[in-house]
Amino acid sequence: MTVRRVAAISVYPVKSAAGMALDACRVELRGLAGDRRWMVTDPTGRFLTGREHPRLVLVRARIVDDGLRLETPGLAPLTVTRSELQVRSRIRAVTIWGDGCEGVDTGDEAAAWFGELLGTPARLVEMTDDCSRRADPEVARPGDLVSFADCFPVLLIGSASLDDLNARLGEPASMRRFRPNLVVEGAPPFAEDHWWRIRIGEVELEGAENCERCAFPTIDPDTGVKDSRREPMRTLATYRRRAEGGVFLGQSLIPRTLGTIRVGDAVEVLT
């Protein structure tokens, strides 16, 4: 019998920027440690993403001691250092899909860096432990938190689900287009649709809802260019569109116990 195991772990320090592959990561209330704790906004605090600014996917963000290291083609690297910021004077209101919360503005140097990259005024904000944002209240429990991710703390996709899609595509799509935190091997295609409680090592996670996909996967993570044919979403929509109209791939999860997840850990489906 094939054992379900964690094949890959990724965090995305800056919302819409490139991910970091990890061998192990601690699961916190908001999701994986360091995941989507930074976000680019316009000057009013409204979030900016790769959907409207595809060049964001070319930003390589790495968590370093006391801050964040940013690199992208064409710009000098930048390190944002928390100890150099006057945190109390920089808290600002931000919005994600109309959902309001707070973030800590990381200063004018980071703002100028992202402004030059995107060709529009921008700010970079961080979600510190003092900033709180509720997970989608229509599904989550009171007290469930989320980072700057769209709705829920953790996204899981089975490797066989991508294999199934790639078997239908003329050119295979990378898992990086779908930006999961956890990739699980050893399960049939789309088995994760029905995982409503799982255990990985010492961590238990509850299924919130299947992930409805937007156009983001049409952006090539290596070039920042949208696919003119709308692939792989056009093909995915031919067999993963539901009656309510959405196209689905992956399972959104909410942590119920905390701890560390490692590549190679067994994935036990409880319900």
Side-chain angles (χ1 to χ4, degrees):
M1 181 178 67
T2 303
V3 178
R4 294 178 294 263
R5 295 194 180 279
V6 176
I9 300 172
S10 297
V11 298
Y12 305 84
V14 177
K15 186 178 181 69
S16 287
M20 290 177 58
L22 303 174
D23 293 326
C25 191
R26 179 163 178 80
V27 178
E28 303 174 339
L29 286 175
R30 290 177 172 84
L32 273 61
D35 184 57
R36 296 171 173 92
R37 289 295 194 98
W38 286 264
M39 179 175 70
V40 183
T41 76
D42 69 12
T44 71
R46 185 185 68 83
F47 77 130
L48 302 179
T49 79
R51 300 171 185 87
E52 54 191 337
H53 298 285
R55 294 191 68 190
L56 273 174
V57 305
L58 302 179
V59 175
R60 296 183 298 278
R62 296 292 179 265
I63 300 168
V64 297
D65 291 343
D66 195 34
L68 190 68
R69 176 75 169 176
L70 299 168
E71 298 179 1
T72 199
L75 292 180
L78 175 67
T79 299
V80 179
T81 306
R82 291 190 190 97
S83 60
E84 296 178 358
L85 302 176
Q86 298 176 357
V87 171
R88 291 184 180 178
S89 65
R90 295 178 182 269
I91 294 176
R92 57 188 290 132
V94 298
T95 57
I96 309 165
W97 299 117
D99 179 23
C101 61
E102 291 183 334
V104 175
D105 192 293
T106 61
D108 291 341
E109 189 174 11
W113 195 90
F114 277 102
E116 183 175 354
L117 173 69
L118 303 181
T120 189
R123 308 296 299 184
L124 178 68
V125 298
E126 180 187 6
M127 178 179 283
T128 65
D129 290 340
D130 295 329
C131 302
S132 180
R133 179 180 173 228
R134 285 191 62 190
D136 187 343
E138 293 187 4
V139 178
R141 303 176 188 175
D144 287 340
L145 301 179
V146 65
S147 64
F148 289 135
D150 282 353
C151 296
F152 297 103
V154 178
L155 176 62
L156 178 153
I157 298 178
S159 60
S161 302
L162 181 65
D163 292 343
D164 184 278
L165 171 60
N166 280 335
R168 304 165 190 258
L169 290 170
E171 183 177 343
S174 166
M175 185 66 85
R176 290 186 297 141
R177 287 182 179 258
F178 295 96
R179 305 174 66 81
N181 298 115
L182 305 175
V183 177
V184 173
E185 61 185 6
F190 313 112
E192 64 270 21
D193 287 356
H194 310 290
W195 293 353
W196 298 111
R197 196 170 186 101
I198 63 174
R199 181 186 294 124
I200 304 174
E202 59 188 338
V203 177
E204 289 193 15
L205 303 111
E206 183 177 1
E209 64 182 21
N210 297 165
C211 182
E212 182 175 355
R213 311 308 308 216
C214 62
F216 206 127
T218 65
I219 301 170
D220 187 326
D222 293 319
T223 65
V225 175
K226 291 183 179 180
D227 190 282
S228 61
R229 303 160 298 171
R230 297 183 292 109
E231 294 291 11
M233 290 305 299
R234 185 173 69 173
T235 295
L236 188 66
T238 63
Y239 69 108
R240 292 287 294 173
R241 185 179 296 279
R242 297 184 181 166
E244 59 268 35
V247 179
F248 294 81
L249 179 66
Q251 177 72 307
S252 298
L253 301 164
I254 299 172
R256 291 296 172 226
T257 63
L258 309 183
T260 298
I261 288 177
R262 297 173 174 83
V263 171
D265 278 352
V267 178
E268 181 182 1
V269 178
L270 304 178
T271 57

